[in-house]
Amino acid sequence: MINLKTSVLELVENAKKEINNIKANDALKLHDDKTNLFIDIRDIRELWKSGTIKGARHIPRGMLEFWLDPESPYFKSDLKVEMVKILYCASNWRSALASKALMEMGFTNVMHIQGGFQSLVDAGFSVQKVEPK
């Protein structure tokens, strides 16, 4: 068996100490502000199964840094660099690590939602269905 230097749980816990964590109820207050971009980083199959928060942008975890970096050939110009990025995933592990990665890139306007997708649903966010294409 391989002895890992750092487990994924440790990576997540360390990231959560360095990032801006917010509760779903606080995120609800930010939802209608168009300077905020809610980003669902879950796999597309997760969105097909459970939907996504209305108005959220799906950016797969594997493309997040590439789509947000103006220097990247994959940059999406509609994802304005100055927008506050509010990330979530299913359980809040991937989005914690993703938030830390964006901060390491130099983004200062990043928030991470504690509790993941279900916490947003429980807080009263509207869910929209996502159909396979």
Side-chain angles (χ1 to χ4, degrees):
M1 181 171 188
I2 297 174
N3 245 347
L4 298 176
K5 181 179 177 183
T6 307
S7 71
V8 71
L9 179 58
E10 290 172 306
L11 288 174
V12 170
E13 291 305 317
N14 290 338
K16 287 180 182 179
K17 293 174 187 172
E18 298 178 33
I19 61 177
N20 185 8
N21 299 286
I22 64 170
K23 294 181 178 170
N25 288 335
D26 295 325
L28 190 58
K29 299 171 192 167
L30 303 172
H31 190 251
D32 292 334
D33 185 339
K34 298 302 177 203
T35 64
N36 298 325
L37 176 63
F38 280 73
I39 301 175
D40 188 335
I41 67 165
R42 296 176 300 151
D43 182 84
I44 190 63
R45 288 172 291 278
E46 292 173 279
L47 276 67
W48 293 341
K49 181 179 178 184
S50 58
T52 190
I53 297 305
K54 188 174 182 181
R57 176 72 182 262
H58 177 237
I59 303 178
R61 174 63 191 103
M63 294 306 295
L64 182 69
E65 295 89 339
F66 297 99
W67 286 12
L68 292 175
D69 181 353
E71 307 273 326
S72 166
Y74 301 102
F75 176 63
K76 302 285 186 190
S77 60
D78 64 316
L79 300 172
K80 306 289 184 220
V81 174
E82 62 276 3
M83 294 182 85
V84 176
K85 290 137 196 71
I86 304 172
L87 281 65
Y88 68 92
C89 64
S91 67
N92 87 110
W93 285 29
R94 288 173 286 176
S95 54
L97 295 176
S99 295
K100 184 172 186 278
L102 292 180
M103 290 177 64
E104 288 173 350
M105 290 175 69
F107 289 99
T108 57
N109 52 353
V110 178
M111 297 180 187
H112 163 257
I113 298 174
Q114 297 171 328
F117 179 73
Q118 190 58 52
S119 72
L120 295 169
V121 173
D122 293 344
F125 276 81
S126 296
V127 175
Q128 65 186 37
K129 192 169 178 143
V130 177
E131 296 288 342
K133 292 185 181 180

